[in-house]
Amino acid sequence: MNLSKNDIDNLEHTFAINLINSITGIKPANLIGTSDLNGSQNLAIFSSIFHLGSKPPLIGFVTRPSKKVIRHTLSNILETKFYTINHIPPQYTKNAHLTSAKFEKEISEFDTCGFTSELKDNFCAPFVKESAIKIGMKYVDSIPIVHNNTTIIIGEVENITIDNNSLIDNNGNIDLSHSSGVSGLHTYYSLLKENSYAHATLKEHAIK
Amino acid sequence: MNLSKNDIDNLEHTFAINLINSITGIKPANLIGTSDLNGSQNLAIFSSIFHLGSKPPLIGFVTRPSKKVIRHTLSNILETKFYTINHIPPQYTKNAHLTSAKFEKEISEFDTCGFTSELKDNFCAPFVKESAIKIGMKYVDSIPIVHNNTTIIIGEVENITIDNNSLIDNNGNIDLSHSSGVSGLHTYYSLLKENSYAHATLKEHAIK
């Protein structure tokens, strides 16, 4: 299949949304946990979380235009300045997918979608007990993207919880076999470790 | 394992780099192909490519600070305004990983790392013949991130090539079984499709 710019511009709407959402390859499947200042909790699936840098430890994610629909995750982050990022175990992808339904603000997706809220050490945003890998985040900045009215939210890692030490090796590499990937808007993948290579140098280049 | 902000700040350097690079979960493994105005080609692996929006079809990726090291991919994009994004087949992850070595500008990573350059339809950036899914991109904007001196490069999808029609379904969803994921800086994963769910609605919420 070869699609030109003109072909892409004229694709049927749902086909175009699915294609463009899946064309970049696998995306990490994460749940973002937040709370408002009254303690009302929210949980929502995000596939746009990306590594922005290690020193300081910064993570970004993309939010859709916020004018038309009240975005509970975003409003809670801006209100409290804290949130959590939680990996989705492969056996919980159906539950996680349901958090994308449009619940009223007073409804907690934790209860409704079958997850357990976990509060720790005075951190004001709730973690997901069922997640093997959890990150506590502090809000840093919002970067408006004028080209499509999205916003990139930047946060700094405040704390990390890894339930089982077998999921991290002696060099700090996390095993993703208990985490999930997502393609497009609704297709979930499990992750199978295949290879790990040393830092690439010019000495190795003759492998053809 | 529980790591506080203070623990994270005091981690051994390599451990910290590996941990923070793998903590967000799986990342898509893609090769970006570029050319300078003289036709000298460059190919480099990027794990920071993310979906920014569907209408218009926008894709972002993160580049490291460019002042100290000449970044061939970035300078070529700014020079020609075009680049390609190519999925990495699971059997080519070692070749793709080698593109991260610091080659001189006049050396083409296509030849040196075992990939075949493919030019099509007057598009000035080279595609990777071995990739099953290829995207032609037009540069749109550079967003400086002041917090860590990185830059987010935004591009618009110009064309899409999918080698085999069996890799895309009737709704536009791409099958990622011929694509790869990466965790951190050097660990590669294959992708196994597990489930696909319908658009989530409130009617389904009682699944506990």
Side-chain angles (χ1 to χ4, degrees), chain B residues 82-96:
Chain B
F82 290 94
Y83 55 107
T84 68
I85 296 174
N86 308 269
H87 287 214
I88 299 172
Q91 68 272 32
Y92 281 93
T93 57
K94 186 168 177 58
N95 305 59

Side-chain angles (χ1 to χ4, degrees), chain A residues 125-175:
Chain A
F127 293 87
V128 176
K129 187 174 194 298
E130 289 78 6
S131 297
I133 295 159
K134 313 169 174 79
I135 320 171
M137 298 292 302
K138 182 179 185 180
Y139 170 79
V140 169
D141 205 355
S142 299
I143 312 290
I145 304 297
V146 297
H147 309 284
N148 64 352
N149 199 26
T150 54
T151 303
I152 293 176
I153 303 295
I154 298 175
E156 182 164 352
V157 176
E158 282 283 303
N159 57 64
I160 293 172
T161 305
I162 299 171
D163 272 359
N164 187 325
N165 285 353
S166 71
L167 292 179
I168 181 165
D169 72 14
N170 291 335
N171 296 316
N173 296 294
I174 291 174
D175 175 0

Side-chain angles (χ1 to χ4, degrees), chain B residues 119-140:
Chain B
L119 290 172
K120 344 184 195 188
D121 301 339
N122 299 319
F123 197 79
C124 85
F127 293 88
V128 176
K129 187 175 195 298
E130 289 78 6
S131 297
I133 296 159
K134 313 170 175 80
I135 320 170
M137 299 291 303
K138 183 179 184 178
Y139 171 79
V140 169

